[in-house]
Each structure stands twice: as structure tokens, then as C-alpha cells.
Amino acid sequence: SSLTVPGNLFHMASWSQCLVDNPEILDVMEHIFGPPRVDGQPAYVAYEAGGDFCLGNVAQFQALHSDWSSATEQAFMSGEDEQANPIARWSPPPLVCVNYCVQPLTRWNGAMRIVPWREMMRHGHLPCVSWEAEAHPQWLAAKVFPQQIGDALLRDVRVWHGGTPNLSGDARYLPSAMFMRRDAF
């Protein structure tokens, strides 16, 4: 559709009805972003619908990354002082991603790994996987599993995350929806 932003799947009824207009998720978004504004509009907007996948029989780790470009190098210019860091002190988060489990996530099929915020703040740059393996092997083991079909993983898009090896023979899919604070535009 010419009205659809490239890469978004809002035009697909399955994404819009099941992932974006999900009453349980919308309740959580209201809890995160706050009550509706004076004009009755939610304090957030559905920003993006999409997802990711990992093919089967992949032995490599995906490099850590943030889905919010401002949360990479720029975010750490002020060092460990979170109060001096405008990216770190932005609460609630500017953007929340909801990944939906459409198949069980296990230790074998490419579960997501997430680096805790405090540990991110100690480093001035996104590390490569080889440095991670040497300096912070626990990051490589920080998998978010087990997850069952129907579970949802909510995360602040500023956190560093990446995929883990998918040693199963099957592709792993994680459809997603992102919700943004209205004042983050």
C-alpha cells in the first residue's frame, strides 16, 4: 500500500488486530506511558509493526545493538553518571518493543539476550562479539528463555540486545510491535 511506511506491517490485519490492538498489551502500555491525555488520546502511539527471525543451524551470535540510535555511542559521552545523561534519564522510555512468541523459545533456537542497563552504562561503545566473549562471557549467556507460545517480551529499545545461536534445524520468528511516547516525536 502507498500509505504504509516501508518495513511496517500495519496493513496486515494479523499484525494490527493481534499484536497492536491487543487489550493486554495496551493495558501495559498505559501503565508504562501513563493515562490518556486530556484530549482522550493515549499517551503513546503504535509506531512500528514488524519482527525478526533467525534461520536454523546458525552457530554465530548476533552482535549487540540498540534499536534506538541515540542509545549507542552518543548515550555514553557523559560516562557512568546517569543523571548527567539525557538518554539514560528519559523515563518512561521513549519507545517500547513487544516481541511476541509464536513458537517456544529455548536455549537452542536463537533466544534473545539482553545486557542489563547498569552494565551498558559502564562501556562507551557497542562491543564486538569476540571482545564480549573475552571480557563479558556472561553477556553471551544472558538469554531470555524459556518462553512459551503466546508470551510477550517487552523491552526498552535503548538496551543492548542480540540474538544467540539457533542450533535447531528450524527458523525462529519473533513478530513485534513498537509503541512510542507521544512526546518522543
Side-chain angles (χ1 to χ4, degrees):
S1 161
S2 62
L3 299 176
T4 303
V5 175
N8 275 314
L9 297 171
F10 285 124
H11 64 286
M12 295 184 69
S14 57
W15 252 262
S16 297
Q17 293 170 355
C18 299
L19 306 184
V20 177
D21 292 333
N22 181 309
E24 290 84 5
I25 294 299
L26 296 178
D27 286 346
V28 173
M29 291 304 118
E30 186 170 315
H31 182 75
I32 292 170
F33 294 115
R37 301 178 327 171
V38 176
D39 63 5
Q41 294 294 313
Y44 61 89
V45 295
Y47 175 72
E48 187 174 294
D52 62 64
F53 68 94
C54 181
L55 297 174
N57 299 316
V58 172
Q60 296 82 23
F61 284 86
Q62 180 186 31
L64 289 173
H65 61 280
S66 169
D67 293 336
W68 185 264
S69 61
S70 298
T72 54
E73 309 293 330
Q74 171 188 349
F76 305 99
M77 291 178 167
S78 59
E80 291 186 39
D81 182 6
E82 285 189 37
Q83 296 307 312
N85 184 329
I87 302 297
R89 39 168 222 257
W90 204 357
S91 181
L95 191 62
V96 171
C97 181
V98 183
N99 288 108
Y100 297 90
C101 298
V102 294
Q103 65 204 87
L105 291 183
T106 70
R107 68 177 1 162
W108 306 113
N109 68 347
M112 185 182 297
R113 61 196 176 100
I114 296 177
V115 175
W117 186 259
R118 289 263 181 226
E119 291 186 39
M120 277 176 49
M121 293 302 296
R122 291 188 194 123
H123 301 280
H125 55 75
L126 282 163
C128 65
V129 174
S130 61
W131 180 88
E132 239 187 299
E134 185 178 314
H136 292 284
Q138 73 276 15
W139 290 1
L140 297 174
K143 298 177 184 180
V144 182
F145 78 91
Q147 301 287 319
Q148 301 305 314
I149 294 172
D151 287 350
L153 173 64
L154 283 76
R155 63 183 168 78
D156 180 331
V157 298
R158 296 173 294 182
V159 300
W160 292 349
H161 63 284
T164 60
N166 182 354
L167 303 177
S168 77
D170 299 317
R172 185 268 301 144
Y173 299 96
L174 275 176
S176 67
M178 289 192 187
F179 298 87
M180 179 182 278
R181 289 170 41 165
R182 280 194 185 269
D183 63 354
F185 284 104

